[in-house]
C-alpha cells in the first residue's frame, strides 16, 4: 500500500505553522479521539517549542469512552492539559477557557513583571486535515466573537478572533501533515476518513476494519450485522465475514454474487458515522511514549 503526501504541501504547511506559531502564546492541538496517536504529528512538539499547549481530543462522541479516559490519563501523564469533546457543541468551552488561563499563567506572570497588563493571550489551533479544526474554532469562538483586523506588529493579513478581553484566536488553523511511515497509521487515517479514500481500496480497508472489530469489539460487530437466527462463529476470515454481512443485508449483485463493494462501503460508513458503536482504534502504549 502506498500513501502520498506531496512534499510541496508539507513544506508550505510547515512554513505557515512556523510563521504563525511565532505569533501566539498558546497552541491548541487537536487530535481525533478514535485514533489519538495516529492523528497526532509528533513534529508539533518541536514546532511549538516552549509555547503553552492544550490537547483537545475531538470526535469523542464517536470514540470508546473507556479508551478516551485511558488516553486522557496517558497524555496528562506527559504533563499536558487534555479535554475530550464533541467539537460541534460548546459544552466544553468553559473548561477549555479555564485551561487556557492555567496553561498561560507563567506567560501572564512574565508580562506582569515587564509591566505589560491587559494584553490578550493569543492562541492558534493546529491539527491534521479533518480532525475538526474549523468546527472547533466555530464552536469555541461562537457568535459573540468579533474579528480584529491587522494590528501593528502582526503579520499582514492575519485575522484574530477576539473571544473575550483576555483571549484572541488566530482564525486560520495550522495544518499538520499526518505521518505515514507506519502502515497501521495510514490504515487508521483512512478508516476514520482523515486521508482520501482512493489511497486505500475500500474493500481492503473494510477487511482491515472487520479484522480489528473481530478482535476488539466483537459484540458491537455481532449486534450490528448478525441476523438473529444466524450463528456466526467469530473470529473468522474477514473476507468470509464480509460475505456474510453482504448476504445478511441482501447486498447481492445480479447473478447472485455478494456485492462486496457495497458491503465494504456500508461497513466503513457505519464505522465512520458511529453507527457500529463508539469505537477507538488505538490503545495507549503501555508505559511508552509515542513521540519518542
Ligand atoms: P478541519 O477543519 O480540521 O479540516 O475539520 P472540520 O472542522 O472541517 O471537520 C471535519 C468533519 O468532522 C466535519 O464533518 C465535522 O462536522 C466533523 N467533526 C468535527 N468535529 C467533530 C466532533 O467532535 N464530532 C463529530 N461527530 N464530528 C466532528 P463534515 O462537514 O460532515 O465533513 P465530512 O464528515 O463529510 O468529511
Amino acid at each position: 500500500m502506498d500513501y502520498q503526501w506531496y512534499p510541496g504541501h508539507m513544506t508550505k504547511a510547515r512554513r505557515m505553522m512556523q510563521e504563525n506559531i511565532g505569533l501566539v502564546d498558546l497552541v491548541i492541538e487537536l487530535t481525533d479521539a478514535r485514533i489519538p496517536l495516529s492523528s497526532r504529528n509528533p513534529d508539533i512538539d518541536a514546532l511549538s517549542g516552549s509555547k503553552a499547549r492544550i490537547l483537545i481530543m475531538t470526535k469523542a462522541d464517536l470514540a470508546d469512552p473507556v479508551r478516551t479516559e485511558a488516553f486522557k490519563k496517558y497524555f496528562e501523564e506527559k504533563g499536558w492539559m487534555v479535554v475530550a469533546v464533541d467539537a460541534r457543541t460548546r459544552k466544553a468551552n468553559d473548561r477549555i477557557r479555564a485551561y487556557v488561563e492555567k496553561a498561560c499563567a507563567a506567560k501572564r506572570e512574565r508580562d506582569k513583571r515587564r509591566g505589560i497588563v491587559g494584553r490578550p493571550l493569543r492562541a492558534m489551533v493546529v491539527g491534521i486535515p479533518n480532525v475538526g479544526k474549523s468546527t472547533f474554532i466555530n464552536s469555541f469562538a461562537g457568535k459573540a466573537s468579533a474579528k480584529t483586523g491587522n494590528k501593528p506588529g502582526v503579520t499582514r493579513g492575519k485575522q484574530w478572533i477576539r473571544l473575550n478581553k483576555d483571549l484572541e484566536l488566530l482564525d486560520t488553523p495550522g495544518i499538520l501533515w499526518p505521518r505515514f511511515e507506519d502502515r497501521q497509521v495510514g490504515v487508521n487515517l483512512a478508516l476514520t476518513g482523515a486521508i482520501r479514500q482512493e489511497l486505500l481500496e475500500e474493500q481492503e480497508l473494510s477487511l482491515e476494519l472487520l479484522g480489528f472489530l473481530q478482535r476488539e469489539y466483537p459484540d458491537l460487530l455481532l449486534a450490528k450485522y448478525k441476523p438473529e437466527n444466524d450463528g456466526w462463529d467469530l473470529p473468522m476470515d474477514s473476507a468470509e465475514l464480509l460475505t456474510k454481512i453482504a448476504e445478511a443485508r441482501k447486498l447481492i449483485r445480479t447473478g447472485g454474487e455478494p456485492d462486496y463493494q457495497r458491503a465494504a462501503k456500508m461497513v466503513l460508513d457505519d464505522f465512520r458515522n458511529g453507527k457500529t458503536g463508539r469505537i477507538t482504534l488505538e490503545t495507549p502504549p503501555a508505559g511508552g511514549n509515542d513521540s519518542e
Side-chain angles (χ1 to χ4, degrees):
M1 266 177 283
D2 282 330
Y3 310 108
Q4 264 191 319
W5 185 257
Y6 304 103
H9 289 173
M10 218 147 101
T11 315
K12 199 170 158 221
R14 177 182 270 273
R15 203 181 310 120
M16 270 202 50
M17 282 271 299
Q18 273 166 338
E19 201 183 294
N20 290 336
I21 269 180
L23 303 172
V24 301
D25 306 305
L26 169 81
V27 174
I28 301 179
E29 184 195 353
L30 267 47
T31 189
D32 185 326
R34 296 167 303 172
I35 48 166
L37 303 176
S38 299
S39 60
R40 287 196 71 232
N41 183 328
D43 294 343
I44 182 67
D45 295 338
L47 276 168
S48 37
S50 59
K51 304 280 176 190
R53 287 254 293 282
I54 294 182
L55 187 70
I56 310 269
M57 296 171 69
T58 58
K59 312 199 186 188
D61 54 300
L62 299 172
D64 176 342
V66 175
R67 291 193 182 189
T68 299
E69 209 37 55
F71 266 112
K72 227 173 136 250
K73 275 215 188 85
Y74 167 74
F75 288 128
E76 279 169 354
E77 274 165 18
K78 290 167 176 273
W80 303 343
M81 290 180 208
V82 188
V83 187
V85 300
D86 173 350
R88 298 165 309 171
T89 76
R90 309 181 65 183
K91 276 190 222 148
N93 282 4
D94 288 345
R95 214 162 3 124
I96 297 168
R97 285 211 174 90
Y99 274 176
V100 167
E101 277 306 319
K102 213 165 145 190
C104 294
K107 162 84 189 155
R108 282 247 191 264
E109 204 43 49
R110 266 201 313 278
D111 275 1
K112 215 160 117 190
R113 277 203 302 274
R114 290 183 191 146
I116 305 168
V117 194
R119 188 180 78 71
L121 293 168
R122 289 199 164 143
M124 175 183 167
V125 173
V126 306
I128 65 166
N130 275 318
V131 74
K133 296 180 295 299
S134 320
T135 309
F136 172 74
I137 289 175
N138 284 338
S139 305
F140 193 50
K143 283 201 184 90
S145 63
K147 284 195 179 183
T148 62
N150 293 335
K151 286 180 185 168
V154 174
T155 310
R156 271 176 90 82
K158 294 276 179 289
Q159 292 282 315
W160 298 90
I161 307 169
R162 174 155 259 197
L163 299 185
N164 54 42
K165 69 176 183 14
D166 297 322
L167 183 63
E168 289 181 354
L169 197 65
L170 187 62
D171 77 337
T172 341
I175 301 172
L176 289 170
W177 52 97
R179 270 208 180 175
F180 299 106
E181 283 139 33
D182 180 345
R183 179 187 175 278
Q184 193 57 47
V185 171
V187 169
N188 290 344
L189 291 163
L191 282 174
T192 54
I195 57 174
R196 280 184 304 138
Q197 191 72 64
E198 306 91 87
L199 292 177
L200 214 53
E201 276 253 22
E202 266 181 345
Q203 278 186 44
E204 195 182 343
L205 201 54
S206 75
L207 296 184
E208 293 274 351
L209 180 60
L210 290 176
F212 168 82
L213 293 175
Q214 291 199 71
R215 285 192 306 276
E216 304 204 22
Y217 293 94
D219 295 345
L220 292 181
L221 184 61
L222 291 173
K224 180 71 187 161
Y225 298 114
K226 189 183 86 58
E228 248 176 54
N229 51 4
D230 216 342
W232 290 7
D233 202 6
L234 300 186
M236 66 173 85
D237 177 68
S238 291
E240 190 188 336
L241 180 58
L242 188 64
T243 306
K244 281 186 176 292
I245 291 172
E247 286 166 357
R249 291 304 176 90
K250 305 204 168 24
L251 301 173
I252 308 293
R253 293 158 64 97
T254 32
E257 275 283 297
D259 192 335
Y260 293 110
Q261 194 54 43
R262 278 176 63 203
K265 188 169 172 2
M266 177 187 72
V267 166
L268 290 172
D269 285 347
D270 286 346
F271 164 69
R272 288 181 185 138
N273 300 327
K275 288 187 188 157
T276 314
R278 296 178 66 175
I279 293 164
T280 298
L281 299 176
E282 298 176 318
T283 44
N289 186 330
D290 65 300
S291 58
E292 282 169 12

